[in-house]
Amino acid sequence: MILALHLLAGPGAWPGMAALWLALLLTCSVHVAVWTGAAALVARRRALSSSTRHLLWKMALFGPLATLLLAAVMSWAFERAPGDTASPGEIAVLSLEDAPAPAVLDAAREISGSTRESAGAGSPAWRAGGSQAWSLLAACTAGAAALGLLRFASSALLLWRGLRGRRSVQDARLLQRLDRLRARIGMRPVALTESAGVGSPLVIGASEICIPLARLAALTDAEVDAVFAHELAHIERRDGLWFPAAGLVQSVLWVHPLVHLASSRFRQTAELACDDRAVELTGDPLGLARALVQVASGASLAPRRALVPAMARSAGALLPRVRRLLDAGSRARSTPSPRGRRRAIASLAAAGIAAASLSVQVARARPPLLASGAGGVLARDRGAALDATTSPPDAAAASEQMAELARREREIEARLEEALLLPDAQRADTQAAVRVLELRQELRHARAAKAWIEERFVDDWTTWERRPRASGSAPR
């Protein structure tokens, strides 16, 4: 089942890249909401380990990108017979057939003059109301995304400038303790560097740990082991690569509050998972707690670096982690459960697959083309369309309009049948697929206009029949 919301710029107006960009953002917003909501519900289970919760929030942050691509592929993977009014899961948004009669009347009034000059061309009013509106909204959202990318680039530049002067650590004690822990894990060699620009240990890339040398040199052996075990856990989980990617997603979609929520939970649970892994490696939760307290004093004065996993970002954020390390019950509840992990991942993946069936698409629709002499009734306001006291409704004009619309309907159906035979008609993001969608929308509008003309003629005739008659006039 495909649930597609169709955005229409207006009759005769081609939305172009502006509307396509907005449709992409709307689809992405829907997917982010589904993924984040599902992750929040699944992560509330108390039996889940911190590593499982981190994986859930990682899926919530990056999953919408995958399902967005999948939705683009699935959105055209269904067929309709020519002339069908709608697919079972399709909703037309801003479509003339969904508008009340006054809206159809206004649209007809706008196109009545333009159809005499150029068949198929939209009126300037429609172009101004459709194309300019799409362009303005697209420019705002594109500007917001560009601003986020600029902020990401500036953060990356500041990080590079702050760390470019780092050098290898020569302290034999620190190197020995790091190698001992690394060998226990079975990890490849890891570079240990130091820099005056960092306030707490952090991981850079896939295999480098950067530390504030003076602060770590003052720690005891147990505290140094806890620090290195925590940072090696980050390397083991590839957080040095995942954190910049998360920062990029958050920068591009910074206007979406749920993206900030998912990114924040992603970072928090990563630190908790590494805390648990460090305790598993050292067997000393008190040593890690003391190390966190020692590192926190320097972290509060150092610049915040969200693009890399840092052991301590601020003193306030460390208090819940220290309490958790001192609470044996909390750490016991975080014991990994393979069965619970599989269930949680399956539940969130199911929600993500469901999100892939939701998409926002763009279509262009043109109004029914009326003959130059057949737009009289549609082009007039309802109050001025009929002088009920003098003459009956113009049946000839209404019949001419109905005949013109019927001819137009047959023409669209023939063109739609031809378009469906094209090789790329059922493939997404092709001119043929877009053309099929345009013709289907245009067919709906022609049928809606024909039904409206018929309904209005009946109403006007009934009104004329019930008009007050002058004294002495004989009823018909």
Side-chain angles (χ1 to χ4, degrees):
M1 173 67 72
I2 303 295
L3 178 58
L5 304 180
H6 284 173
L7 298 179
L8 253 59
W14 171 241
M17 294 302 299
L20 294 175
W21 169 255
L22 289 178
L24 177 67
L25 289 183
L26 288 174
T27 303
C28 186
S29 297
V30 172
H31 289 204
V32 167
V34 173
W35 275 99
T36 306
L41 291 176
V42 177
R44 292 182 63 183
R45 296 177 54 189
R46 297 175 61 87
L48 296 179
S49 65
S50 56
S51 61
T52 301
R53 287 190 173 90
H54 174 66
L55 179 58
L56 294 177
W57 286 111
K58 182 187 294 184
M59 294 173 63
L61 188 59
F62 296 99
L65 303 180
T67 55
L68 184 64
L69 178 61
L70 183 59
V73 175
M74 293 175 58
S75 59
W76 292 101
F78 63 94
E79 297 185 12
R80 289 205 303 266
D84 285 355
T85 57
S87 178
E90 184 179 18
I91 302 175
V93 181
L94 302 181
S95 174
L96 287 179
E97 67 180 3
D98 297 327
V104 179
L105 181 62
D106 293 340
R109 181 184 296 111
E110 296 293 341
I111 66 170
S112 59
S114 62
T115 53
R116 295 185 179 91
E117 300 175 1
S118 174
S123 68
W126 272 112
R127 285 195 295 269
S131 180
Q132 292 181 6
W134 286 117
S135 300
L136 179 61
L137 290 175
C140 292
T141 54
L147 182 63
L149 283 175
L150 180 62
R151 181 183 178 186
F152 176 83
S154 63
S155 299
L157 179 61
L158 290 175
L159 175 64
W160 175 78
R161 293 183 60 182
L163 298 176
R164 63 180 176 178
R166 66 188 186 277
R167 54 187 178 273
S168 299
V169 173
Q170 303 299 327
D171 190 306
R173 181 177 74 104
L174 297 181
L175 292 174
Q176 181 182 6
R177 305 205 75 84
L178 176 61
D179 288 340
R180 186 176 62 86
L181 281 172
R182 181 186 59 80
R184 182 187 302 178
I185 299 176
M187 185 180 295
R188 64 184 182 278
V190 174
L192 182 62
T193 58
E194 62 94 8
S195 172
V198 299
S200 67
L202 53 85
V203 169
I204 302 174
S207 60
E208 181 182 347
I209 300 175
C210 187
I211 62 172
L213 181 59
R215 193 167 299 278
L216 251 69
L219 299 181
T220 65
D221 289 347
E223 292 169 352
V224 169
D225 287 346
V227 170
F228 284 153
H230 180 94
E231 299 307 317
L232 288 175
H234 276 302
I235 294 179
E236 194 176 36
R237 302 169 61 83
R238 303 290 191 273
D239 287 339
L241 304 177
W242 283 110
F243 270 55
L248 178 60
V249 173
Q250 185 178 5
S251 298
V252 174
L253 301 176
W254 66 271
V255 295
H256 202 307
L258 294 181
V259 173
H260 290 276
L261 173 64
S263 180
S264 175
R265 295 291 188 271
F266 167 81
R267 291 181 172 86
Q268 292 174 8
T269 53
E271 297 302 327
L272 296 180
C274 291
D275 286 347
D276 292 343
R277 178 61 170 158
V279 172
E280 180 184 349
L281 291 174
T282 63
D284 186 9
L286 295 180
L288 179 57
R290 288 194 300 267
L292 288 174
V293 173
Q294 293 293 330
V295 170
S297 58
S300 60
L301 302 177
R304 298 185 64 183
R305 308 184 189 278
L307 299 184
V308 291
M311 184 174 182
R313 299 188 181 276
S314 65
L318 288 180
L319 183 58
R321 292 171 59 186
V322 172
R323 288 178 176 173
R324 180 174 176 273
L325 289 171
L326 299 178
D327 184 2
S330 296
R331 287 185 285 105
R333 288 193 296 269
S334 296
T335 303
S337 171
R339 185 176 181 182
R341 181 185 179 93
R342 288 194 297 268
R343 286 182 176 179
I345 295 174
S347 300
L348 185 56
I353 294 174
S357 64
L358 306 174
S359 65
V360 178
Q361 302 170 2
V362 179
R364 173 171 63 102
R366 291 188 295 250
L369 301 180
L370 303 180
S372 60
V377 176
L378 277 177
R380 296 194 301 268
D381 188 79
R382 190 171 182 83
L386 176 65
D387 184 0
T389 62
T390 58
S391 60
D394 191 346
S399 298
E400 185 178 356
Q401 292 176 47
M402 295 288 289
E404 174 67 17
L405 288 172
R407 183 198 63 79
R408 178 62 178 166
E409 183 179 347
R410 292 191 298 270
E411 176 186 341
I412 296 173
E413 289 178 348
R415 291 160 56 191
L416 180 59
E417 290 179 356
E418 295 177 359
L420 287 172
L421 296 177
L422 296 176
D424 296 337
Q426 302 303 328
R427 293 179 56 189
D429 301 329
T430 61
Q431 287 294 108
V434 173
R435 183 56 179 160
V436 169
L437 182 58
E438 295 172 4
L439 291 172
R440 284 170 173 164
Q441 292 284 20
E442 190 174 346
L443 182 62
R444 296 176 198 171
H445 298 158
R447 291 171 175 173
K450 187 170 66 173
W452 181 82
I453 292 174
E454 182 179 3
E455 180 182 357
R456 177 169 178 175
F457 179 80
V458 173
D459 290 345
D460 288 346
W461 186 269
T462 303
T463 301
W464 184 80
E465 285 284 350
R466 297 175 180 176
R467 74 191 186 287
R469 295 175 173 80
S471 58
S473 62
R476 293 191 60 193

